[in-house]
Amino acid sequence: RSVIRDNVLTLEQKQHIFVQIVKGVAFAHRYDIVHRDLKPENILVDDNNHVKVADFGLALVEGEESLTVQTSIVGTPGYMSPEQIRGEKLTPQSDLFSLGVLGYELFTGVNPFLGKDAGATLHNILSPRSRLDHLDAIPHPVAELLSAMLKKNKSERMRSLREALKKMDSLDVSDATTINTDHGGPKTKRMKVWMTVLGFALLAVVIMFSLVFKSTQQMPIDANTALLDGAGKVTATPPLMDEQKQDSVIELPSIKKNESYESVNAELALQNIPGRLLVRCTPWAHVFIDSINIDTTPMEEAAALAPGEYELRLEHPNFPAYMKKIRINPAEELIIAVDLDTLFGYFTCNIFPWGDVYIDGDFKGQTPFAGALAVDPGDHALVVKNQQYGSVEDVFFVARRDTFHYRFNFEQPLGADDSIR
């Protein structure tokens, strides 16, 4: 990413880097490994323009479904193939498409499908109408290669990286291996070694920092870094079906005039893209989705959820549970902000000599209390018990953000110190 952003490479250096990337991925394909997340952040380049293909955390080993679900929707939106977005079974051809996007960005500095948000980006990839407007600025052999990689239809796309390597024989430039002109003696070489080690260490820290925080960014803001699998959070993955079941279960909507099957499929695919939920709660709360504890505020990252309706519940030991029905839309982020202090009423009491307090049948503790109790606005049944004097029953009403004060003296129940509302 830094190399692309700095834009200091010559055309020959870019070609040399791209050739190495393709060779690295081709080596993985030789062992039936599909990377599934090829993007600039996962390509490491040293000062001599030597390349390593990194981060096989989402990789799929064909024929070993127990290691990962072949149809899981994972990846980075701006670099996913159309079949990857649709949740179809993946082959090495999916990596070819991602490589095409990566190569296009390497040579032009522009991602050809990047939209204003993740949904727009995925739509651009799925839509047959999207165009590769910058190919004219790329040398013809490279442009021809990238065009063959970026075919939306797998049947039209280049079938393997072996074909790509044959076309790229003329692109591997031997004098493009370095941009560093320092050729000092042993001391300089040792310094370069240590600087390289330090550089990789810093790069590892940056990558780890990016992985921790990138999923907290709203998908509409940064389509390049929004992961679709929740990045380790408890997620609800949309139900996915194999290709045969899709044919018999999914009913395509009627196709209007001038509307293609590809656009209809794009619409269906977008409907299954997970959305995200970010909860902000004051002072703090445990976050439950349909009775499953997914996080505690402040949330470090948004939680990925399949599109649909859920029951959100926030729990804090000093407040009644806050519950709300929410709807998650595809490829959108829903932000819920709750200030618990403003949602409830409050109950205080002065019981002499002491008492066990029950509100609506729930034991709240023995007086004296350290502070006010938060209660739902409305009417409540109150019971105060003392082992020596017995119990007293009462009712009270409290409004939102108001405080109800209750006082009772067991030794003088009918005197001046009787209950006060």
Side-chain angles (χ1 to χ4, degrees), residues 73 236-240 272-274 305-307:
I73 300 179
T237 305
L240 298 171
N272 284 328
I273 298 301
L305 297 171

Side-chain angles (χ1 to χ4, degrees), residues 395-411:
V395 294
F396 69 92
F397 172 85
V398 65
R400 179 179 173 184
R401 304 181 72 172
D402 282 346
T403 301
F404 178 86
H405 302 278
Y406 184 86
R407 183 168 56 184
F408 189 84
N409 187 336
F410 275 104
E411 294 182 349

Side-chain angles (χ1 to χ4, degrees), residues 376-405:
D376 289 316
D379 292 307
H380 298 276
L382 173 68
V383 176
V384 181
K385 298 180 180 181
N386 182 291
Q387 292 180 350
Q388 181 179 354
Y389 295 99
S391 65
V392 60
E393 297 182 6
D394 212 330
V395 294
F396 69 92
F397 172 85
V398 65
R400 179 179 173 184
R401 304 181 72 172
D402 282 346
T403 301
F404 178 86
H405 302 278

Side-chain angles (χ1 to χ4, degrees), residues 347-349 355-359 363-373:
F347 172 88
T348 64
C349 61
D356 293 329
V357 177
Y358 296 80
I359 297 179
F363 178 60
K364 298 299 182 180
Q366 188 177 91
T367 63
F369 293 147
L373 299 178

